[in-house]
């Protein structure tokens, strides 16, 4: 019989990733303990920071502090239009590509840290390989660099340039799997709790003409369709999936870290409400296991 592997799947969504911090606290308080952490983009940041510290409530406290630091660090500057123009015309200036690297190292993700050095939980970070037109999973090879995987998974233009390495062109994993359910199953997950940061309100306004709103609608549609297909795949493979959509109380841009405290609390409360609906099912499962033990099965 295959060993059960519970995966926490952490989707991408920029500054909305603070919602996941609160949700992770609620899950751990309720007794859910993952065997596997799988993250894309900001979900990769949360997964990596939690995995290397240990999946417990004290580590969540430290993750909260890291998010407060991120709020002050201006990791994704708001002048993204200027950054885009500068990249197109190869203009020099402040290179924001190094901000996340420096931030990660300052918070313990050292360049020599390998996946096999992480204890107590397996970690998988999801990037997109544009040359291969496929998902690139960091962590299947235990000798890979955690920092490299983290930077590949979060390489989101115009803030961070894609990484060229060994015939690969690696960028933000949200391009291929913004809620990495399929990568979790590839890594051996037999049960999944998915924390989705997808904002269904993005780009839905009918009052704002122009290319920007059109692009937002396009990306929104692609992310949603991608998620639908991965959820359907989990169902087809009979992998139990608990889906938790973490909605911000207001629309929050990818780069806007000013709402961090509000989002952490909101994510915690949303997850608590959702978990309360799971608990009867969980108690029934526990009772069934007791009955099987009593029968000597």
């Amino acid at each position: 019989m295959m060993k059960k592997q519970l995966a926490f799947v952490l989707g991408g969504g920029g500054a909305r990733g603070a919602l996941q911090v609160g949700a992770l606290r609620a899950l751990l308080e309720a007794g859910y303990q993952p065997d596997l952490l799988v993250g894309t983009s900001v979900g990769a940041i949360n997964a990596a920071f939690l995995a290397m510290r240990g999946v417990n409530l004290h580590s969540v406290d430290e993750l909260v502090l890291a998010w407060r630091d991120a709020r002050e660090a201006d990791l994704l500057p708001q002048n993204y239009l200027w950054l885009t123009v500068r990249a197109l015309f190869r203009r020099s200036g402040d290179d924001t590509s190094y901000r996340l690297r420096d931030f990660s190292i300052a918070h313990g993700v050292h360049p020599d840290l390998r996946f096999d050095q992480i204890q107590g939980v397996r970690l998988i970070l999801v990037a997109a390989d544009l040359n291969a037109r496929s998902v690139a999973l960091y962590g299947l090879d235990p000798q890979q660099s955690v920092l490299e995987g983290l930077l590949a998974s979060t390489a989101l233009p115009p803030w961070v340039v894609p990484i060229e390495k060994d015939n690969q062109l690696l960028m933000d994993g949200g391009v291929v799997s913004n809620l990495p359910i399929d990568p979790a199953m590839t890594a051996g997950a037999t049960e999944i709790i998915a924390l989705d940061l997808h904002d269904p309100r993005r780009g839905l306004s009918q009052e704002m003409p122009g290319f920007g709103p059109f692009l937002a609608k396009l990306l929104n549609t692609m992310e949603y369709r991608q998620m639908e297909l991965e959820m359907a795949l989990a169902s087809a493979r009979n992998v139990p999936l608990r889906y938790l959509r973490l909605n911000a109380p207001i629309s929050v841009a990818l780069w806007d870290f000013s709402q961090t405290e509000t989002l952490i609390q909101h994510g915690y409360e949303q997850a608590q409400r959702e978990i309360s609906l799971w608990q009867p099912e969980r108690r029934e499962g526990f009772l069934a296991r007791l009955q099987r033990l009593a029968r000597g099965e």
Side-chain angles (χ1 to χ4, degrees):
M1 181 180 293
M2 181 181 296
K3 181 182 178 182
K4 289 188 176 181
Q5 293 284 303
L6 171 61
F8 285 0
V9 166
L10 309 183
R16 294 192 297 275
L19 290 160
Q20 290 177 347
V21 180
L24 287 165
R25 181 184 298 281
L27 286 167
L28 294 178
E29 286 181 350
Y32 292 93
Q33 192 69 29
D35 304 289
L36 184 62
L37 290 171
V38 184
T40 288
S41 196
V42 74
I45 296 175
N46 285 334
F49 277 41
L50 195 60
M52 70 181 189
R53 288 169 169 81
V55 186
N56 54 60
L57 291 172
H58 178 70
S59 296
V60 173
D61 291 338
E62 293 186 345
L63 186 56
V64 170
L65 296 178
W67 269 87
R68 289 173 180 165
D69 290 344
R71 183 181 56 196
E72 307 299 325
D74 196 23
L75 293 179
L76 303 178
Q78 296 185 32
N79 60 335
Y80 62 94
L81 292 177
W82 165 241
L83 293 172
T84 303
V85 171
R86 194 188 70 196
L88 288 173
F89 290 94
R90 301 180 182 276
R91 297 289 298 275
S92 60
D94 176 31
D95 191 346
T96 58
S97 295
Y98 292 101
R99 294 191 186 187
L100 183 58
R101 176 185 177 88
D102 293 344
F103 180 85
S104 300
I105 293 173
H107 287 82
V109 189
H110 301 297
D112 58 349
L113 179 65
R114 303 292 185 242
F115 282 87
D116 62 355
Q117 294 174 273
I118 294 175
Q119 302 296 315
V121 68
R122 290 176 60 217
L123 174 66
I124 301 292
L125 305 179
V126 181
D129 181 357
L130 300 188
N131 286 344
R133 303 183 298 277
S134 68
V135 173
L137 300 184
Y138 278 81
L140 295 180
D141 177 355
Q143 293 301 311
Q144 286 179 304
S145 162
V146 175
L147 180 61
E148 181 183 309
L150 184 58
L151 295 177
S153 184
T154 55
L156 179 64
W159 294 282
V160 182
V161 297
I163 298 170
E164 295 185 68
K165 179 180 183 292
D166 299 332
N167 296 318
Q168 292 179 304
L169 182 60
L170 301 163
M171 70 169 290
D172 190 289
V175 172
V176 287
S177 187
N178 199 52
L179 187 64
I181 293 169
D182 184 34
M185 292 188 291
T186 298
T190 62
E191 183 179 357
I192 294 171
I193 297 176
L195 304 184
D196 183 23
L197 301 175
H198 176 82
D199 185 357
R201 296 165 295 192
R202 186 180 66 188
L204 295 184
S205 173
Q206 303 296 324
E207 301 175 359
M208 296 177 61
F211 182 73
F214 166 78
L215 182 60
K217 289 181 181 180
L218 175 62
L219 294 175
N220 196 22
T221 301
M222 292 171 61
E223 284 181 12
Y224 188 77
R225 179 58 176 159
Q226 183 185 83
M227 180 184 67
E228 279 188 325
L229 291 172
E230 295 202 33
M231 293 176 72
L233 186 59
S235 177
R237 294 180 180 176
N238 295 315
V239 175
L241 169 65
R242 293 185 177 95
Y243 169 73
L244 208 171
R245 176 186 286 172
L246 298 171
N247 292 318
I250 58 174
S251 184
V252 176
L254 291 174
W255 57 85
D256 183 8
F257 288 81
S258 66
Q259 302 296 319
T260 290
E261 299 291 345
T262 298
L263 295 183
I264 291 174
Q265 182 61 29
H266 199 71
Y268 178 71
E269 293 169 357
Q270 284 186 83
Q272 276 194 318
R273 289 193 296 269
E274 186 69 20
I275 290 167
S276 70
L277 302 177
W278 301 346
Q279 293 303 312
E281 172 191 335
R282 197 173 185 212
R283 284 195 295 270
E284 289 171 7
F286 177 70
L287 289 173
R289 287 195 296 273
L290 286 180
Q291 291 169 354
R292 287 197 298 272
L293 287 172
R295 293 194 297 266
E297 299 177 359

